[in-house]
Amino acid sequence: MPNIARTHVPEAELHAYCDGELSPSQRVEIAEHLLGCLICRAQHAEVAELRARVTTLLAIASPRQIGRRVVPPARRPRRASRMMIAAAVAIIGGGAWLLVPPSDGERRPTQLATSLGLVDFFRLGHGDADLAALRDRQLAMAMRTIAAPQVQAGRAAPQFLRPLLIGTGTEVDPVVTSEWTFATMDDALKAANGRLARVADIPVRLVRIHPSAAGGRPTFLIRQELADGRFVWVVEGLEGDVAPVEQLLQASGIAMSAATRTRPDYVGTGAQTTITVRMVRVVGYLPVDSLNVLAQKLVVR
Amino acid sequence: MAFDLEGLYRTTYDSVVRFLYRKVWDADRAEDLAQEVFMRALAHQPEKPRSWVFAVAANIARDEARAAFRRRKHLVLISHEPSAAPAANDDVEEAMDHAEQEAEVKRALAMLTPRDREVLLLWDAGLSYPEIAEQTQLALGAVGTTLARARQRVVEAHDSMEGQRAEHRANARS
């Protein structure tokens, strides 16, 4: 049984979390905990920063250039002279005895050499000893050449705010059924008589519309993206229409801000006038406090 | 599984050089030793090439350090190799700046315990926790703790040096 009421995440575990060294289930457990725990979120941010700093420091302690002493591929020789063999031995130095015996390594050096366009070497009629020495030399050169000179500044610092997304769940709009249709923002505004609530200052990524059961104004689901890549949804609809949606949301475990009532809309004229009240909530995989703060930034436009 | 030297070389050569460099502090020597590591890998065709390569690199570096100690001779810090083109003034300044920064990191690393340092360097070389555990004989569960401590200490050590430097500067000015 998962330990729901776990205490704070130990620091070492946060390191392992940042390093991607936990099992998927452990990851999810910690991600969920981080969503709800301010203390651990702060700790997580500290660990992430520490980790990034260490990477930067270690990157300083690196050779400025790796692989600069690349030996250029040899020209195709007519035959192996004694000097060349001597040179080969000199180049490989103490490493020569470590090479694979010919029976085992017959193909590998050729592969290496082929990759460098040096295969001609092996087709020439050399004595076995010459060939072995030459092959060794080729191999030594090949090994130096294979890795193109490139300096990496250590591991790239991963995006730490993203792991808070649990799986792909947050990418999918909550409680969406086939009755929800996609709409452009313009269409949605038209359907909403130009008055549609959304959180100010963050971009709208997707709009969905659900027809009203009462035949009035449809219900809107607006997906907006926060600066850190997480999504929130603004649910807006007539009181009676949003109630079932809210029930579904509640059941799905997603958090909702306190409902905001908009000013009443007066539809029709005279005795035919009906007053409709729209309810707006901000929904997301975030602490309720955060959603309430976002709800205060709702604007109707 | 077929032993893929080429792939191993391509994916780990730079890491091995960096790993060795942080032990011998000489770029040329680090590359020489790395060459030897791969020569040995070719001869042994190890089953777990990645961890094997770093285990051998660590051994070679240890032998190297012992030999250097016996010779009572410190390894040359600055490469003798003349640069191909005469460096512009900016480059010289940049190089000095870099050398100074690097010396600080080196000292910060020296302040760690050998085990903490090893775990940190292996992690930076791209080894996974299980690979690090295997090589350092630590329990898998202890790798995270060790790494957490090593990270904390190396940054603290480095920060304290920075602080001292700032103090010196302030004293010099007053």
Side-chain angles (χ1 to χ4, degrees), chain B residues 3-119:
Chain B
F3 179 73
D4 175 19
L5 178 71
E6 240 182 283
L8 180 69
Y9 195 85
R10 203 180 303 116
T11 52
T12 56
Y13 180 75
D14 285 7
S15 307
V16 171
V17 172
R18 270 195 296 274
F19 178 74
L20 285 163
Y21 179 74
R22 290 161 192 169
K23 287 168 177 288
V24 300
W25 301 104
D26 174 359
D28 286 347
R29 194 74 194 119
E31 289 218 38
D32 284 345
L33 296 177
Q35 297 289 341
E36 194 177 333
V37 169
F38 282 92
M39 289 285 187
R40 288 195 195 177
L42 186 59
H44 283 258
Q45 311 221 345
E47 262 177 51
K48 297 177 186 166
R50 233 156 57 95
S51 17
W52 189 92
V53 156
F54 285 101
V56 170
N59 283 337
I60 287 185
R62 205 171 299 134
D63 294 348
E64 175 85 3
R66 279 199 202 112
F69 184 74
R70 268 201 303 276
R71 286 198 303 272
R72 300 234 164 203
K73 196 173 99 184
H74 291 293
L75 288 164
V76 189
L77 272 178
I78 302 153
S79 168
H80 287 304
E81 199 170 295
S83 46
N89 275 346
D90 282 359
D91 287 352
V92 173
E93 259 172 46
E94 197 194 303
M96 280 172 66
D97 208 36
H98 183 263
E100 202 175 305
Q101 286 179 358
E102 187 179 275
E104 278 185 358
V105 177
K106 185 182 169 183
R107 266 187 290 153
L109 279 172
M111 284 157 96
L112 301 182
T113 66
R115 175 168 284 180
D116 287 5
R117 184 168 55 239
E118 193 71 3
V119 169

Side-chain angles (χ1 to χ4, degrees), chain A residues 141-216:
Chain A
M141 291 196 301
M143 284 179 61
R144 283 173 182 242
T145 324
I146 286 163
Q150 50 179 217
V151 183
Q152 294 162 352
R155 284 178 207 210
Q159 298 276 313
F160 294 110
L161 291 165
R162 295 218 175 228
L164 290 177
L165 296 169
I166 302 168
T168 54
T170 48
E171 305 281 340
V172 178
D173 293 329
V175 299
V176 166
T177 60
S178 59
E179 287 166 310
W180 290 89
T181 50
F182 291 107
T184 63
M185 197 61 201
D186 286 345
D187 288 345
L189 279 169
K190 229 175 274 172
N193 295 326
R195 299 181 60 78
L196 196 53
R198 68 205 110 136
V199 182
D201 303 330
I202 59 171
V204 171
R205 292 295 180 220
L206 197 76
V207 182
R208 290 180 195 256
I209 301 181
H210 188 279
S212 164

Side-chain angles (χ1 to χ4, degrees), chain A:
Chain A
M1 198 183 124
N3 180 10
I4 292 161
R6 71 176 291 166
T7 49
H8 298 305
V9 182
E11 197 187 341
E13 218 166 301
L14 284 175
H15 279 262
Y17 179 74
C18 287
D19 290 340
E21 292 284 346
L22 296 177
S23 69
S25 63
Q26 284 172 309
R27 279 195 73 76
V28 170
E29 196 188 330
I30 290 186
E32 277 175 354
H33 180 84
L34 287 177
L35 280 176
C37 179
L38 201 63
I39 291 169
C40 288
R41 263 212 307 285
Q43 178 84 17
H44 172 253
E46 253 173 54
V47 168
E49 201 202 316
L50 177 68
R51 197 174 168 279
R53 275 209 63 196
V54 170
T55 303
T56 314
L57 283 184
L58 287 177
I60 293 171
S62 298
R64 305 196 80 192
Q65 212 177 354
I66 295 177
R68 76 194 123 139
R69 293 169 304 148
V70 168
V71 181
R75 297 211 181 278
R76 183 175 154 177
R78 288 273 164 254
R79 70 199 152 101
S81 68
R82 264 170 211 285
M83 266 176 71
M84 283 187 67
I85 296 170
V89 174
I91 286 176
I92 313 167
W97 58 273
L98 292 162
L99 287 164
V100 194
S103 59
D104 196 7
E106 204 62 61
R107 264 176 46 216
R108 225 169 303 282
T110 319
Q111 276 173 358
L112 283 170
T114 312
S115 70
L116 295 160
L118 300 171
V119 74
D120 293 12
F121 238 13
F122 300 99
R123 300 213 186 104
L124 299 172
H126 297 294
D128 280 355
D130 290 1
L131 187 62
L134 276 171
R135 193 185 51 206
D136 291 353
R137 180 169 176 227
Q138 283 292 297
L139 187 56
M141 291 196 301
M143 284 179 61
R144 283 173 182 242
T145 324
I146 286 163
Q150 50 179 217
V151 183
Q152 294 162 352
R155 284 178 207 210
Q159 298 276 313
F160 294 110
L161 291 165
R162 295 218 175 228
L164 290 177
L165 296 169
I166 302 168
T168 54
T170 48
E171 305 281 340
V172 178
D173 293 329
V175 299
V176 166
T177 60
S178 59
E179 287 166 310
W180 290 89
T181 50
F182 291 107
T184 63
M185 197 61 201
D186 286 345
D187 288 345
L189 279 169
K190 229 175 274 172
N193 295 326
R195 299 181 60 78
L196 196 53
R198 68 205 110 136
V199 182
D201 303 330
I202 59 171
V204 171
R205 292 295 180 220
L206 197 76
V207 182
R208 290 180 195 256
I209 301 181
H210 188 279
S212 164
R217 186 190 157 90
T219 306
F220 298 91
L221 187 65
I222 298 173
R223 188 205 285 182
Q224 294 188 268
E225 189 177 351
L226 298 173
D228 64 9
R230 284 179 285 181
F231 292 121
V232 290
W233 292 266
V234 177
V235 182
E236 181 196 316
L238 297 179
E239 233 171 340
D241 288 333
V242 289
V245 178
E246 286 174 357
Q247 274 170 13
L248 274 172
L249 286 170
Q250 222 143 28
S252 75
I254 198 168
M256 286 187 282
S257 70
T260 308
R261 284 161 188 268
T262 61
R263 278 185 301 164
D265 291 322
Y266 297 93
V267 184
T269 48
Q272 301 287 304
T273 306
T274 50
I275 300 171
T276 57
V277 177
R278 286 175 289 139
M279 304 289 282
V280 186
R281 280 178 190 268
V282 183
V283 171
Y285 295 95
L286 287 168
V288 176
D289 293 350
S290 311
L291 294 170
N292 282 333
V293 171
L294 287 171
Q296 283 168 17
K297 291 178 71 183
L298 281 171
V299 289
V300 177
R301 252 192 245 120

